[in-house]
Amino acid sequence: MKKVNKVTLLLRALVSVYVLYLAYGLIKDYGTATNQMLSLAAIAIFVVGGGLILAHSAYKLITKDYDDGSEDDTVLPNAEVPEEEHPEMKVIESGQSEADAGMQTSGQEES
């Protein structure tokens, strides 16, 4: 399962608090509802759904079970490349790379 990042969990928690606030509004107006069975069903769905989402998001945030970017498998443009993949960049004994040494010898040959 793909882990979500911290911002997504915080947004989920925020939305679930809003859903619980809507459930509170329904509970407050329950006595004046024309269809009390429908209101009761909506209250139950909002309380259970908002509560579960809030509990799950809070648990993931507290246990730090989210993607923080530290285990990123993607290759970045400035990432180090192993020497085996670029043999032309091997360091020779004088401390210069073979590419630099090639430039110096070709410059000397032209003179």
Side-chain angles (χ1 to χ4, degrees):
M1 177 185 277
K2 183 179 176 187
K3 288 186 177 183
V4 295
N5 60 15
K6 188 176 183 178
V7 174
T8 302
L9 289 173
L10 289 172
L11 286 174
R12 285 181 186 175
L14 184 65
V15 168
S16 65
V17 168
Y18 179 67
V19 169
L20 290 172
Y21 172 74
L22 292 175
Y24 170 75
L26 288 173
I27 292 169
K28 200 167 90 172
D29 295 334
Y30 178 70
T32 61
T34 56
N35 190 347
Q36 290 188 344
M37 288 303 290
L38 181 63
S39 292
L40 187 61
I43 290 169
I45 291 171
F46 280 36
V47 168
V48 170
L52 287 175
I53 294 170
L54 180 61
H56 181 261
S57 298
Y59 175 76
K60 293 280 188 177
L61 285 168
I62 290 169
T63 60
K64 297 185 180 183
D65 186 20
Y66 52 83
D67 182 17
D68 60 357
S70 64
E71 300 174 4
D72 206 5
D73 291 337
T74 59
V75 178
L76 300 175
N78 296 334
E80 292 289 325
V81 180
E83 286 184 23
E84 303 87 44
E85 293 181 19
H86 291 286
E88 68 274 2
M89 295 303 292
K90 276 188 176 177
V91 177
I92 55 177
E93 289 182 19
S94 67
Q96 299 173 337
S97 69
E98 288 179 3
D100 291 340
M103 280 194 232
Q104 289 178 354
T105 55
S106 65
Q108 292 171 355
E109 293 170 0
E110 291 175 7
S111 305

